[in-house]
Every structure is written in structure tokens, then in C-alpha cells.
Amino acid sequence: MRRAKGRGPGPSRLLMTPDDAGNVVGVDPHKRTLTAMVADARGGILASAHFRVSGEGHRELEVWAWQFGPIARWGIEGSASWGRHTAVFLIGRGYDVRDVCANRTSRSDRSPAREVRHAGFRAGRA
């Protein structure tokens, strides 16, 4: 019996390697607002906040996230749709930005805070 090839390296025990130690920011974009969450390298939630989808809102998001320490990576849910402007802004600033698939949580288990937390965790493991 042949063993099926796995997709990717498999589950990670840590969100990041020590080389990339820093916080992960998960962003759940909507039409007019962004919900963001900052998680440390161990996965502990440091804070969450809401911002407007605008140039000023993106700058506020960046300043807010840096209050909690260096940022290793950003996870943006749906960076090809509602999160596109946020992703482009952050990539332009030189950050490691990852797209996070919105289909990773069941519909019945979705709350804005939970979705943002999952976005941050998935970005940290990617």
C-alpha cells in the first residue's frame, strides 16, 4: 500500500521559529472596517481592535500593532477581495503578508473575534 503524500510540512508545535520571533497580526476585513488581533509567538492573544478601511485606518492599524512589539507576519483573511487594499498597503511597507482562507471555520462557529484569532494563528503557522 502506497502512502499518500502530505500537503506541506505538517502541523507546527510553535507558531514561529525562534529566528522569526515576533507577533502575528490577524486581520478580518469587511467593506468599511477591519478587525485586527495581535498574538504573541506562543499564541497568546495580546489585544484586538477595529479600524476603518482607509489610508488613515491602515496607518493607525500599523501603529497600533507595533505597540505590542515587533511583527513577524500579518495574516489577512481574503486578501484577494475585501482585504486587498490592506494587503497591498502592508506589502508596500515591507511586511510578510499571508492570505488566510476564510473557509477554515464552520459557519456556526464564526464570530468576528474568533475569525480574527484563527486568521492570526493560521498566518503564524504558514
Side-chain angles (χ1 to χ4, degrees), residues 31-106:
K31 189 172 186 176
R32 293 187 179 100
T33 62
L34 303 167
T35 303
M37 178 271 323
V38 179
D40 63 16
R42 293 181 179 186
I45 307 300
L46 301 177
S48 63
H50 301 280
F51 302 91
R52 291 183 154 255
V53 176
S54 65
E56 183 180 331
H58 289 132
R59 288 186 291 276
E60 289 175 5
L61 169 65
E62 181 183 23
V63 169
W64 171 81
W66 269 99
Q67 292 177 22
F68 305 99
I71 300 166
R73 117 185 355 148
W74 294 76
I76 309 225
E77 187 174 77
S79 64
S81 58
W82 293 115
R84 183 175 186 275
H85 297 293
T86 305
V88 168
F89 172 81
L90 294 169
I91 290 169
R93 298 280 185 142
Y95 291 106
D96 178 9
V97 177
R98 307 290 174 100
D99 182 34
V100 177
C101 180
N103 299 346
R104 297 288 180 155
T105 57
S106 68

